Amino acid sequence: MYVIGTAGHVDHGKSMLVRALTGMDPDRLDEEHEREMSIDLGFAWFTLPSGRETSIVDVPGHEDFIKNMLAGVGGIDVALLVVAADESVMPQTREHLAILDLLGVSQGVVALTKIDLVEDPEWLELVREDVRGELQGTALSDVAIIPVSSVTKKGIPELAAELDRLLENADPPRDIGKPRLSIDRAFTISGFGTIVTGTLLDGRLRVDDEVEIVPGELFARVRGLQTHKVDIEEALPGTRVAVNLSGVSAEALSRGQVLAYPGWLDSTTLLDAYLRLLPNAPWSLEHDDIADFYSGAARVQCHVRLLNSDLLSPGEEGWVQFRLSEPVAVLRGDRHIVRSPSPSLTLGGGRVLLTQPDRRYRRFQPDRLQQFEALYEGDPQDMLFYLLRQETVCRVAELFRRSRLPKETAAEGLSRLLASGRALDLAAEQAGAESVSSENLLMTRERWEDLLDRLEDMLTHYHERFPLRLGMPREEVKSRLHLGEAAFDGFLRRAVEEQKVETTPTTVRLPDHRVVLSPQQEQEVEEVLAAFEEQPFTPPSLNQVEDALGPELLQYLIDRGELIKVSDSVAFHAEAYAEMRECLIAYLQEHESVAVAEVRDMFDSSRRYALGFLESMDRAGITKRLGDVRILRA
């Protein structure tokens, strides 16, 4: 299903034309009927000659209500530009046409309305030529111009046929499995509760789906769905939808919020964008000027930071960073409009490039401007690279989501990116794997090299400070690199494969690091180990060992695995620990459980040693504590 959106000057007959096409009155407010003028968005639907059902969003034409018009045209597939034949092109005709062009609406038709009021055929031809001239240089330059009368119905069949033809050739609405609906109305119906309406984009929405409203972080459940007042179980992308929500009140919702699946759509008050000023914009934009930002049904005030110039003149384009007064929920690639707040005039528009910039940038940075160029031009490899640069690591699925590329295009771009060596797959054995899982973690090569430099510096200083230690504790390395478990494992695995570091189960070291004991230290170590061998199940306490060797030599024996630390005060020789482990397993294979006292007697030790040993077995996943006894885990 597709959506048609009207556009045009006030009193040029948009609502009457909608009534003529659909038999429905799109004006829903009493004030609109009293003033005979659309104030807010109106909605209707009808069946085209092919049998295709379509929605119409009717927008107000008066200059005072452009903000309402902008809330309705963001999700349309075809523009129905209305020009009254008795008046020709007027100021809001031009502004609406400019907005459609900035929003990238390239499918449309012009309806020359009120031809019943024009008796002179030459005048009608002059108006047609006037409209054609206004269309030149816009995305709608070659659209059909069809004279119609909403009173006599002349031309209405031809107009419906042209709309049908346009929709027949329109690209199908994109479905990436991530539905979002920019709310243009929120209200309450007695007996049903909260209702929101909008045009569904990017995915299907189903009854009983859990949803989140962003910004606001409100959560709700889809209680019901309607399209054209018909109950449905599933709404398709590109459809005008009324959503009945449970768990949230209409008073908590407002125009411009976005309904989406929980957890995947973030709001932001800082975003990067491409901006083009209209050739007839009333004035230039200076760095840090205040303007109104529109995207979807959202409208917020913003500061416009010019990143590659000090001044943006009418007809010029550039890269900007918007600092928004309130958060909005948008995605890369979304269209936006910028208007002057006072007087209220459209200045320009463009596309969102990044929705979560890592910071407020310094201006005139060549590398940053090159990044924007790649994001705008849309080469998949470059786009994915620059999006990946925003993060230390990023999952494939998240990177694809941010790119908003079709899955096949994104996968091909990632394959080329990995093959180029500019990015690494931390789960792959080598860079450039032909295909990767959606859960795999990615990192740019420059980020990898930066982390590797930090790791090597970190280990160099650690080895100098603690020459007797086999390496830096693994958990300390992970914490100081600020990596999560999965990212750290992948990073470390690749570092080992490239022979940058060596690891043990608990430590990380540089490949050339070796612990060398002095003759005196070797003798002290031999004496301590001999004491452990003489009393394998009641060895010296860790405090005694530390007094004899010092903390560094004690840690050396633990790192080497010669001593197995089971508690703060107890350690066993590795051979004794292995023997105790095998004895315990054999015992539990014959008996249902074992108590601390039984383990104490089994090894002729004390409760302190037995308890420390059993707790280490619990941590190793060999035994499980049930009350006062242990059982063997499966």
Side-chain angles (χ1 to χ4, degrees):
M1 191 176 294
Y2 296 91
V3 179
I4 298 168
T6 67
H9 195 77
V10 62
D11 201 32
H12 274 207
K14 292 187 296 299
S15 297
M16 283 190 66
L17 180 60
V18 172
R19 283 196 290 272
L21 281 167
T22 69
M24 303 174 65
D25 185 357
D27 290 337
R28 55 189 172 79
L29 304 176
D30 292 340
E31 186 180 354
E32 291 178 313
H33 293 110
E34 292 170 3
R35 298 173 63 174
E36 297 184 348
M37 179 179 68
S38 295
I39 296 172
D40 207 347
L41 302 176
F43 308 98
W45 55 90
F46 70 117
T47 302
L48 290 162
S50 65
R52 182 183 294 107
E53 193 170 81
T54 188
S55 305
I56 292 186
V57 177
D58 185 37
V59 304
H62 196 283
E63 62 180 340
D64 291 345
F65 306 112
I66 290 288
K67 62 181 182 297
N68 293 340
M69 177 266 186
L70 284 164
V73 297
I76 67 172
D77 302 290
V78 170
L80 177 53
L81 182 62
V82 177
V83 180
D86 61 334
E87 290 189 346
S88 191
V89 174
M90 299 293 282
Q92 262 57 65
T93 312
R94 296 187 179 92
E95 186 166 18
H96 282 207
L97 179 59
I99 288 171
L100 292 171
D101 189 48
L102 291 169
L103 293 176
V105 180
S106 58
Q107 293 269 69
V109 59
V110 176
L112 281 185
T113 57
K114 303 186 180 183
I115 61 170
D116 52 294
L117 301 181
V118 176
E119 297 180 358
D120 186 353
E122 292 186 6
W123 171 259
L124 192 61
E125 190 58 33
L126 286 172
V127 172
R128 186 195 294 268
E129 291 304 314
D130 191 17
V131 171
R132 182 62 68 191
E134 292 291 339
L135 295 175
Q136 292 308 305
T138 75
L140 299 175
S141 59
D142 297 322
V143 303
I145 301 174
I146 300 176
V148 299
S149 169
S150 300
V151 176
T152 68
K153 303 299 188 293
K154 183 178 180 180
I156 295 297
E158 290 80 3
L159 178 61
E162 176 63 11
L163 291 170
D164 207 1
R165 186 191 69 80
L166 291 170
L167 293 179
E168 177 68 30
N169 298 320
D171 293 332
R174 193 176 70 147
D175 187 351
I176 59 172
K178 300 287 188 181
R180 58 184 178 126
L181 181 142
S182 188
I183 297 172
D184 51 41
R185 290 180 66 205
F187 53 94
T188 301
I189 294 181
S190 179
F192 290 90
T194 301
I195 308 291
V196 298
T197 66
T199 301
L200 186 63
L201 302 175
D202 293 345
R204 301 166 182 238
L205 194 62
R206 300 170 181 85
V207 173
D208 290 329
D209 277 351
E210 299 296 325
V211 295
E212 181 181 10
I213 291 85
V214 185
E217 289 66 56
L218 302 170
F219 295 89
R221 182 180 65 84
V222 177
R223 185 178 175 186
L225 293 168
Q226 277 194 357
T227 290
H228 303 168
K229 295 192 175 181
V230 175
D231 291 337
I232 55 176
E233 290 295 313
E234 179 182 67
L236 302 179
T239 307
R240 283 292 308 176
V241 186
V243 186
N244 184 194
L245 296 175
S246 64
V248 65
S249 67
E251 291 74 19
L253 306 178
S254 59
R255 175 175 285 178
Q257 289 178 302
V258 179
L259 181 151
Y261 280 163
W264 80 272
L265 182 62
D266 297 321
S267 60
T268 183
T269 56
L270 194 67
L271 54 87
D272 300 331
Y274 160 81
L275 174 62
R276 172 170 65 90
L277 288 197
L278 294 171
N280 60 347
W283 49 74
S284 301
L285 264 181
E286 295 184 4
H287 174 65
D288 219 28
D289 269 353
I290 295 175
D292 285 337
F293 172 90
Y294 296 79
S295 187
R299 171 193 174 223
V300 298
Q301 196 172 81
C302 69
H303 284 263
V304 185
R305 300 189 67 240
L306 304 181
L307 299 180
N308 63 331
S309 65
D310 291 315
L311 184 75
L312 204 59
S313 299
E316 292 183 343
E317 57 188 33
W319 312 118
V320 300
Q321 188 172 73
F322 293 114
R323 288 192 297 119
L324 309 175
S325 61
E326 300 174 34
V328 298
V330 294
L331 293 178
R332 195 201 69 78
D334 283 355
R335 298 279 181 163
H336 67 81
I337 298 293
V338 172
R339 305 190 79 233
S340 164
S342 179
S344 186
L345 296 167
T346 300
L347 301 177
R351 289 211 309 261
V352 174
L353 301 179
L354 285 174
T355 60
Q356 301 290 335
D358 51 4
R359 63 185 181 278
R360 180 176 169 177
Y361 314 127
R362 288 169 44 212
R363 302 165 64 211
F364 303 104
Q365 295 185 72
D367 184 59
R368 187 71 64 182
L369 302 180
Q370 183 183 7
Q371 171 188 357
F372 293 152
E373 190 74 37
L375 290 172
Y376 182 75
E377 292 298 330
D379 177 81
Q381 180 184 169
D382 289 339
M383 184 185 299
L384 293 173
F385 173 72
Y386 284 113
L387 289 172
L388 184 56
R389 285 184 67 185
Q390 301 298 306
E391 306 290 340
T392 301
V393 292
C394 186
R395 293 199 183 278
V396 171
E398 175 64 14
L399 185 64
F400 284 9
R401 181 188 73 81
R402 293 186 185 181
S403 76
R404 298 188 69 197
L405 293 169
K407 188 174 181 179
E408 295 76 12
T409 304
E412 190 274 335
L414 178 58
S415 178
R416 290 196 291 123
L417 180 60
L418 293 173
S420 73
R422 291 198 294 165
L424 304 175
D425 173 13
L426 296 185
E429 294 184 1
Q430 58 182 9
E434 292 185 2
S435 62
V436 294
S437 164
S438 63
E439 292 303 306
N440 282 14
L441 289 165
L442 305 171
M443 178 182 291
T444 63
R445 168 65 71 173
E446 60 185 346
R447 182 79 71 173
W448 152 265
E449 292 176 349
D450 175 62
L451 284 174
L452 200 58
D453 288 343
R454 287 171 54 194
L455 175 60
E456 291 175 341
D457 288 345
M458 189 189 308
L459 293 177
T460 297
H461 289 106
Y462 191 87
H463 294 330
E464 291 173 353
R465 184 179 178 189
F466 303 108
L468 295 181
R469 297 189 186 180
L470 291 185
M472 192 172 185
R474 182 188 180 95
E475 289 301 311
E476 184 178 347
V477 175
K478 182 179 74 173
S479 174
R480 291 176 63 177
L481 288 179
H482 304 292
L483 293 174
E485 188 68 37
F488 179 67
D489 286 347
F491 169 75
L492 201 58
R493 180 170 53 250
R494 183 172 288 276
V496 171
E497 289 171 358
E498 296 192 7
Q499 300 181 345
K500 302 298 184 181
V501 297
E502 294 177 352
T503 63
T504 71
T506 58
T507 65
V508 183
R509 65 174 179 264
L510 293 175
D512 60 355
H513 175 66
R514 294 292 181 269
V515 176
V516 180
L517 301 184
S518 68
Q520 180 180 347
Q521 289 172 327
E522 288 181 350
Q523 182 178 348
E524 292 171 350
V525 165
E526 289 177 3
E527 291 173 356
V528 166
L529 292 179
F532 270 76
E533 292 172 358
E534 289 175 7
Q535 298 175 289
F537 308 125
T538 55
S541 70
L542 287 177
N543 286 337
Q544 290 173 318
V545 177
E546 187 169 333
D547 289 342
L549 299 179
E552 289 305 306
L553 270 182
L554 169 59
Q555 189 62 47
Y556 166 78
L557 292 176
I558 293 173
D559 289 345
R560 282 175 57 91
E562 295 193 54
L563 296 184
I564 307 299
K565 182 179 178 181
V566 298
S567 71
D568 290 340
S569 61
V570 176
F572 293 101
H573 192 280
E575 292 180 0
Y577 183 80
E579 180 183 343
M580 296 170 72
R581 178 180 179 275
E582 296 305 318
C583 288
L584 179 66
I585 292 173
Y587 181 88
L588 285 174
Q589 287 173 340
E590 296 183 5
H591 303 80
E592 289 186 1
S593 64
V594 66
V596 175
E598 292 173 296
V599 174
R600 177 197 63 196
D601 296 341
M602 188 185 305
F603 299 110
D604 192 23
S605 60
S606 69
R607 179 178 175 81
R608 178 166 64 95
Y609 291 105
L611 182 60
F613 169 67
L614 284 176
E615 288 176 346
S616 75
M617 292 292 98
D618 295 342
R619 291 192 297 271
I622 295 171
T623 58
K624 179 180 179 180
R625 181 176 177 178
L626 293 178
D628 294 331
V629 299
R630 262 78 176 178
I631 63 172
L632 193 64
R633 286 184 180 268

